[in-house]
Amino acid sequence: MTEVILHIYDVTNSGSDKTNNTIVQINKIFKDGIGLGGIFHSAVQVPSSPSISIYGDDEWSFGFCEEGTGVFSCPSRKNPMYTYREFIVLGTTNFSIFKVNQILRELSREWPGHSYDLLSKNCNHFCDEFCERLGVPKLPGWVNRFANAGDAAAEIAGNTAFRLRQAKTEIVSASKVAYRFLAGVTSNGAPDSTGNSSRGIPRFQSTWFRNLVSAGPKPPGSSELENGDEDFLQRKRQDAEVPQRQKPLRTSEEQFPPGH
């Protein structure tokens, strides 16, 4: 059984002493002070076994490069780009040197240097994967918490932006459909300049109205009203056919009585 050790560094490779000191202070406050996390680099070491020298004092990690694998090794606790902080024993493995070599060859193919991403595929993610294949627990959550939080925030922001774009597209499409509908009703249904509004009624509306009038029930008492109208018209026709009685003409004597 061989111990698997995680080495942790403060990320102080910015090229600015002021920035590097700020990062060290941030890590002290957020990790040492409240246990939340910080900005860290990590590497995994499988030390020398009492019987077999597996990797000696080398530690393994991952970083960016334009070509080839991003997996690299350096003497443990002596990475020149960062400031060493502490180490944690993650567990033990009973894998042989051949098995560990096989795992590292697989990781070297799967982790090219150009795929490095500060938030989603950094050195801490690599160490998580390496430890999982060695059969030991992954890194403590505080080691990569800032990167995970940043990656989650970026994903949420991306999803939100996509949904906003999708909603905007749907709104624009709905607006176009509504505009075409209203434009069609206006051109087909508006009264013309001569006042003949019936000409502009859409065909489906006039058909619906005719069906409603022809098939709809008659109002209560309509039969009585119709019968009454027929009697009235009949009486008018009879009056027109009968000669009007004339008053009798008066005689000349009646008009001019004697003595006048």
Side-chain angles (χ1 to χ4, degrees):
M1 303 292 287
T2 305
E3 288 183 338
V4 177
I5 299 175
L6 178 70
H7 296 289
I8 302 172
Y9 298 77
D10 293 322
V11 177
T12 53
N13 62 337
S14 68
S16 168
D17 291 338
K18 182 177 180 180
T19 301
N20 292 340
N21 291 333
T22 300
I23 291 174
V24 171
Q25 293 302 317
I26 289 174
N27 289 349
K28 286 182 178 179
I29 294 172
F30 284 93
K31 196 278 175 182
D32 300 336
I34 61 180
L36 182 60
I39 305 171
F40 303 112
H41 169 79
S42 63
V44 173
Q45 179 191 7
V46 183
S48 299
S49 170
S51 57
I52 302 175
S53 177
I54 300 181
Y55 290 103
D57 291 333
D58 284 350
E59 64 184 32
W60 294 84
S61 191
F62 172 73
F64 172 81
C65 62
E66 294 182 356
E67 297 181 0
T69 181
V71 178
F72 68 94
S73 65
C74 66
S76 62
R77 309 187 186 192
K78 294 181 181 179
N79 190 317
M81 294 187 296
Y82 309 110
T83 301
Y84 189 78
R85 182 181 182 86
E86 60 185 293
F87 73 91
I88 302 172
V89 178
L90 296 175
T92 59
T93 182
N94 57 0
F95 285 165
S96 67
I97 184 174
F98 305 104
K99 180 63 175 177
V100 175
N101 271 327
Q102 179 184 356
I103 293 173
L104 283 171
R105 284 195 298 269
E106 292 172 353
L107 291 173
S108 296
R109 290 192 298 267
E110 297 170 7
W111 292 71
H114 64 79
S115 67
Y116 179 91
D117 185 89
L118 180 63
L119 298 180
S120 62
K121 196 172 185 179
N122 59 29
C123 58
N124 300 318
H125 295 106
F126 168 81
C127 290
D128 260 343
E129 182 69 21
F130 191 14
C131 289
E132 183 176 8
R133 298 194 188 188
L134 290 172
V136 299
K138 292 184 176 183
L139 280 60
W142 57 265
V143 176
N144 205 30
R145 181 166 289 131
F146 278 17
N148 291 335
D151 188 38
E155 182 178 1
I156 292 172
N159 291 338
T160 302
F162 171 77
R163 291 173 182 173
L164 288 175
R165 289 195 299 270
Q166 186 178 26
K168 180 179 178 181
T169 301
E170 292 175 354
I171 291 172
V172 171
S173 299
S175 299
K176 290 180 179 179
V177 172
Y179 174 79
R180 287 195 296 267
F181 174 78
L182 293 175
V185 170
T186 302
S187 61
N188 293 329
D192 57 19
S193 58
T194 60
N196 186 6
S197 61
S198 61
R199 184 178 303 175
I201 298 177
R203 183 175 301 175
F204 75 91
Q205 291 184 1
S206 60
T207 303
W208 171 82
F209 184 74
R210 287 197 303 270
N211 292 337
L212 178 63
V213 172
S214 61
K218 295 181 179 179
S222 62
S223 59
E224 290 82 359
L225 292 175
E226 292 178 356
N227 293 334
D229 292 342
E230 292 178 358
D231 293 341
F232 174 77
L233 294 175
Q234 185 176 3
R235 287 196 300 270
K236 294 294 290 182
R237 286 196 297 270
Q238 291 175 354
D239 292 342
E241 294 173 357
V242 175
Q244 184 177 3
R245 294 180 180 181
Q246 298 181 356
K247 294 182 179 180
L249 295 177
R250 290 184 296 176
T251 63
S252 59
E253 289 80 8
E254 292 176 339
Q255 294 182 357
F256 305 100
H260 288 280

